[in-house]
Amino acid sequence: MEQRRSTSGSQQGRPRKKVDNPYLGTDYSMQISPGYRMRRTKREWKPLEDRSCTDLPWFLLFTVFCVGMGSIFGFTIATGGAARLVFGYDSYGNTCGQRNEQIEGVRLSGLDQTDKKYVFFLDPCNIDIVQRKIKSMALCVSVCPDEELKTYQDLKRFAVHNGSELCSYELAGHKYPSLPERFDKCPKLPVPPSKSLPVFNRCTPVDISCYAKFAEAVVTFVSDNSVLHRLIAGVMASKVIIVGLCLLALVLSMILMVIIRYISAVLVWIFTATVVLGSLAGTSILWWMYIDYRLTVNKTLSKETEDAKEEAEMSRDNAQVLLVYAIAATVFTVILLLLMLFMRKRVALTIALFHVAGKVFIHLPLLTLQPFCTFLALLLFWFYWSLVLLFLGTTGNPVQNEETGLTEFRLTGPLQYMTWYHAVGLIWISEFILACQQMTVAGAVVTYYFTRDKNKLPVTPILSSSLRLMRYHLGTVAKGSFIITLVKIPRLFLMYVHNQLKGKENACARCMLKTCICCLWCLEKCLNYLNQNAYAATAINSTSFCTSARDAFVILVENALRVAAINAVGDFVLFLGKILIVTSTAFAGVLLLNYQRDYAEWVLPLIIVCLFAFLVAHCFLSMFEIVVDVLFLCFAIDTKYNDGTPGREFYMDKALMEFVENSRKLERVAERGRSRPTEVVSVEGAEMKPMAPGTSSA
């Protein structure tokens, strides 16, 4: 017993035990009371070791949500909404091409329209531009009129010969010319020739000139039809060139991702020089303008006329404003120069990361296909979502329109919330697909970084990362994308309110709305960046979303200056890359379109090509940006928990190793400079000496 007490007592006086681990941070043991010990361990970073399912409840929640989205699709089919959209329905609620049930309170409903498969509008040009729908009465007919019908006698002849009655069902075809109801319940004369659409069985006029009013509302930037025709003719004549230029932009984007590591240093220093020289030039110009105004004031004061005094007073006010601007510009320039001075080593890190990112694309060429896969997945989902939305537009209970008297189908009661559910699904699932791309890329880059021998990389790291995502981390991706959805929905709602109140709200309300929208946008961008790093941390450690986000946030805060340099300089370099691709594509377009002497026809093809080039460049260089961010997180973890000694070797690439060695050399030089004894300086008889170690000044 005495021995145990002495041991316990000796432990009380011992300092906390410190244990180092190649992957762990410092492990501290804290003594609470004799015989009891509580261990506090920092987060372990064990790249590519243990794998386990993360955020399983969120995966189940997302699965349930997707089942709900599918249930909406099933509901639209079961209640006939899909059939009404595809086959069409008349103004009495009858679906064309099938037998119908009687709708209570709606006359002429419940008709057998098996032989009448096409929807015919009595006045197809009566379009509600605001609601984007045809306001005319619709009927089910067996044949669309393929010739122009100018009189009611022609309507009678068409009904008798083709068995297709174009007036309301209660009117007999052979009596059309003599019925008084023909002016309200027969088509507007003349009836233009029409043909049915390939999939949706609607009789559409062959000559779409009657839609000119609708086209004018849509194409508001064209006031002259001849200009529109010339632009469209230019696109049709140059369609082969447009396709070729789009492929050129695609190839240039893929090439730039590989070669950007060779030109990144030049672009970075061009950016640095431009910013520094621009700020210096701007500050100098402001001071020159201020001095010039002061001289003008002095010259004007020498004159004693009233006009001269008024002019001098105005010049004095302008000079004061210019002085404020010049001082503010000077402060900004000084801060900028100091930042450039302190962050010059971080700029070198940005260049090294760009160099390694280029190598990543060489070792993992399938990364270049990720934008295609993501775009294809988004396109398929958006097509499905739009189709279900159209189905919802023809789903619900029959309601008689008070204005037109026509029967429409609308969602009423609790069913109307299905549309809102469907809208939330658009945002969440779209963000989920984008997050899957980020997680897949992060997993592949992490595999590349933490594999010492690059020859032992998996055959397809992208495929391996995708399989790990689907097997372990779908819940993490669902949770991260849901957080973005929670921020994006209020922002979109405020934008909708702002557009609806445009011209009605006062200046204060407009300013508050714009401020809220801007703040939510900034929050969304910050969360997107944190989510991306959280996915990378999950790919490394296989931890849950919250744990990964916390660990990644700690790493980013510890390297705040490096993060700022990489984001500022790196984003500008990538922006220059986008501009390079767009201008190169536009220049090639000018050369290829030179054979067209009508230069007005260049406009639309060049706009299409430039927009496509920017979109492609943005997709590919955003992929490059994700790779750089993941590499930085891996680098920060590597330098924090490894030091290059045996057992704690670095994982990093040679380019990053050179950066670390150069940084250490500079630190050693600085340490030697600080450790040299300072010279003895005598001030008023007092002698100042270097402070002895362990002493402190009072």
Side-chain angles (χ1 to χ4, degrees):
M1 180 68 69
E2 293 296 328
Q3 187 178 2
R4 289 183 180 178
R5 288 177 182 172
S6 62
T7 303
S8 176
S10 63
Q11 287 178 347
Q12 290 181 2
R14 291 180 184 175
R16 290 183 297 176
K17 186 179 179 182
K18 180 178 177 181
V19 180
D20 290 329
N21 187 286
Y23 294 112
L24 281 76
T26 306
D27 182 10
Y28 292 102
S29 299
M30 189 189 307
Q31 189 70 30
I32 302 297
S33 61
Y36 294 92
R37 172 170 297 186
M38 182 179 71
R39 298 180 61 85
R40 184 178 64 191
T41 307
K42 290 187 178 180
R43 169 64 50 202
E44 297 183 7
W45 291 89
K46 296 184 177 180
L48 308 176
E49 290 191 8
D50 298 329
R51 286 285 143 193
S52 60
C53 292
T54 56
D55 298 297
L56 187 58
W58 281 93
F59 170 70
L60 298 176
L61 176 64
F62 183 74
T63 303
V64 171
F65 182 84
C66 291
V67 170
M69 292 284 289
S71 300
I72 293 177
F73 176 67
F75 177 80
T76 59
I77 294 178
T79 55
R84 281 190 285 269
L85 177 69
V86 175
F87 300 113
Y89 64 97
D90 61 18
S91 297
Y92 306 105
N94 300 301
T95 303
C96 300
Q98 65 183 37
R99 298 178 63 89
N100 297 275
E101 296 180 358
Q102 177 71 33
I103 300 175
E104 184 179 356
V106 179
R107 65 183 187 89
L108 298 178
S109 62
L111 301 179
D112 184 2
Q113 306 285 27
T114 306
D115 297 329
K116 299 178 179 181
K117 300 181 179 180
Y118 304 102
V119 180
F120 175 75
F121 297 97
L122 301 189
D123 186 6
C125 296
N126 187 7
I127 300 174
D128 186 350
I129 297 175
V130 177
Q131 299 295 330
R132 295 176 295 279
K133 63 181 181 181
I134 299 176
K135 297 172 64 176
S136 167
M137 177 184 287
L139 300 172
C140 295
V141 298
S142 55
V143 179
C144 296
D146 56 356
E147 59 181 342
E148 186 178 21
L149 306 177
K150 300 180 179 179
T151 64
Y152 291 105
Q153 194 67 36
D154 293 338
L155 290 178
K156 172 185 174 181
R157 178 177 51 82
F158 183 80
V160 172
H161 290 174
N162 298 284
S164 183
E165 299 178 349
L166 302 182
C167 296
S168 186
Y169 301 136
E170 70 268 25
L171 304 183
H174 62 281
K175 296 182 180 180
Y176 286 167
S178 59
L179 292 174
E181 299 93 340
R182 65 184 184 276
F183 300 106
D184 297 328
K185 297 184 179 181
C186 285
K188 183 179 179 181
L189 298 178
V191 179
S194 59
K195 60 180 180 180
S196 62
L197 294 176
V199 178
F200 302 97
N201 301 323
R202 270 75 169 175
C203 294
T204 308
V206 176
D207 183 10
I208 60 173
S209 59
C210 69
Y211 297 141
K213 184 179 178 181
F214 181 73
E216 289 175 5
V218 176
V219 190
T220 55
F221 63 93
V222 178
S223 58
D224 186 3
N225 287 333
S226 62
V227 175
L228 178 61
H229 292 157
R230 289 169 64 189
L231 292 175
I232 294 176
V235 173
M236 297 305 296
S238 310
K239 55 186 178 182
V240 177
I241 295 176
I242 292 175
V243 173
L245 290 173
C246 291
L247 292 176
L248 175 64
L250 187 64
V251 173
L252 288 177
S253 300
M254 297 174 68
I255 293 175
L256 183 62
M257 285 199 304
V258 177
I259 68 170
I260 197 170
R261 63 180 175 137
Y262 300 110
I263 62 175
S264 58
V266 177
L267 294 178
V268 166
W269 294 121
I270 288 176
F271 162 68
T272 305
T274 302
V275 171
V276 172
L277 294 177
S279 59
L280 289 174
T283 304
S284 302
I285 291 173
L286 286 173
W287 280 111
W288 175 78
M289 293 175 64
Y290 168 71
I291 294 171
D292 182 64
Y293 260 93
R294 292 293 299 178
L295 294 176
T296 303
V297 171
N298 294 335
K299 289 180 181 179
T300 307
L301 288 175
S302 62
K303 302 176 183 179
E304 297 182 355
T305 62
E306 290 294 328
D307 294 338
K309 291 182 179 179
E310 292 180 1
E311 184 179 352
E313 189 67 26
M314 186 179 300
S315 298
R316 187 181 294 108
D317 293 339
N318 290 334
Q320 292 296 326
V321 174
L322 282 174
L323 178 61
V324 173
Y325 288 165
I327 293 175
T330 303
V331 172
F332 172 78
T333 302
V334 170
I335 294 175
L336 183 64
L337 292 175
L338 290 175
L339 285 175
M340 290 293 181
L341 180 65
F342 287 114
M343 296 177 67
R344 64 188 187 279
K345 291 190 295 184
R346 280 86 183 180
V347 172
L349 174 60
T350 305
I351 297 173
L353 287 173
F354 271 60
H355 186 80
V356 178
K359 289 185 178 179
V360 170
F361 280 97
I362 292 177
H363 285 86
L364 311 178
L366 291 181
L367 276 177
T368 56
L369 298 179
Q370 279 299 300
F372 294 106
C373 298
T374 304
F375 179 73
L376 180 61
L378 287 173
L379 198 63
L380 291 175
F381 170 68
W382 290 340
F383 175 77
Y384 163 81
W385 186 88
S386 303
L387 189 63
V388 176
L389 184 65
L390 292 175
F391 289 168
L392 285 172
T394 55
T395 301
N397 301 317
V399 178
Q400 199 164 19
N401 192 312
E402 297 179 357
E403 180 183 352
T404 61
L406 307 179
T407 301
E408 300 175 353
F409 290 88
R410 298 177 184 172
L411 294 171
T412 57
L415 295 179
Q416 60 186 336
Y417 294 107
M418 287 197 301
T419 306
W420 293 103
Y421 187 95
H422 195 60
V424 173
L426 171 66
I427 302 174
W428 191 5
I429 297 179
S430 297
E431 292 295 331
F432 177 83
I433 294 172
L434 293 173
C436 285
Q437 173 187 273
Q438 294 176 353
M439 177 70 88
T440 302
V441 174
V445 175
V446 165
T447 301
Y448 172 84
Y449 187 96
F450 289 106
T451 301
R452 299 187 189 277
D453 187 358
K454 307 306 180 189
N455 295 323
K456 295 182 179 179
L457 283 170
V459 179
T460 54
I462 292 291
L463 181 60
S464 302
S465 178
S466 302
L467 294 176
R468 285 200 303 270
L469 165 65
M470 289 186 288
R471 184 176 178 182
Y472 298 112
H473 306 311
L474 286 178
T476 299
V477 172
K479 187 174 183 179
S481 56
F482 181 77
I483 292 174
I484 300 298
T485 303
L486 287 182
V487 179
K488 182 166 285 188
I489 288 176
R491 182 173 66 84
L492 294 177
F493 177 75
L494 290 178
M495 291 174 63
Y496 172 78
V497 172
H498 182 264
N499 290 331
Q500 293 296 314
L501 298 179
K502 188 172 291 184
K504 300 178 183 179
E505 79 280 12
N506 56 32
C508 182
R510 184 168 58 251
C511 180
M512 290 179 63
L513 275 175
K514 289 185 176 179
T515 302
C516 292
I517 293 171
C518 181
C519 291
L520 288 173
W521 181 83
C522 294
L523 177 61
E524 182 182 335
K525 293 298 179 183
C526 294
L527 288 176
N528 264 321
Y529 183 72
L530 182 60
N531 280 10
Q532 179 180 306
N533 286 278
Y535 299 147
T538 299
I540 296 173
N541 260 359
S542 190
T543 49
S544 64
F545 176 82
C546 291
T547 303
S548 299
R550 182 191 62 202
D551 296 341
F553 181 76
V554 170
I555 294 292
L556 294 176
V557 169
E558 291 174 350
N559 297 269
L561 289 179
R562 288 176 172 177
V563 171
I566 291 170
N567 286 332
V569 179
D571 288 349
F572 185 79
V573 170
L574 295 178
F575 174 74
L576 290 181
K578 296 174 187 177
I579 298 300
L580 176 64
I581 292 172
V582 173
T583 52
S584 301
T585 307
F587 180 71
V590 170
L591 294 179
L592 293 174
L593 292 171
N594 190 39
Y595 73 91
Q596 295 183 7
R597 295 306 174 188
D598 189 354
Y599 297 112
E601 296 180 2
W602 288 20
V603 177
L604 199 54
L606 281 180
I607 291 176
I608 293 173
V609 167
C610 290
L611 288 176
F612 182 83
F614 183 82
L615 177 64
V616 170
H618 176 74
C619 291
F620 278 91
L621 293 182
S622 296
M623 180 69 56
F624 192 91
E625 183 180 7
I626 294 174
V627 172
V628 171
D629 290 338
V630 176
L631 283 174
F632 171 72
L633 185 68
C634 296
F635 170 78
I637 294 169
D638 197 9
T639 53
K640 181 176 181 179
Y641 297 114
N642 297 312
D643 57 8
T645 58
R648 301 179 65 179
E649 295 86 357
F650 288 123
Y651 288 94
M652 66 185 66
D653 188 85
K654 182 180 178 182
L656 293 173
M657 192 78 73
E658 291 176 355
F659 167 78
V660 172
E661 290 297 328
N662 293 334
S663 300
R664 288 182 173 180
K665 288 179 182 178
L666 293 175
E667 290 176 0
R668 285 195 291 267
V669 171
E671 285 293 332
R672 285 198 296 268
R674 286 194 296 267
S675 62
R676 290 176 181 174
T678 57
E679 295 181 357
V680 177
V681 181
S682 176
V683 179
E684 295 182 357
E687 184 179 5
M688 298 184 65
K689 297 182 180 180
M691 188 179 296
T695 62
S696 60
S697 58

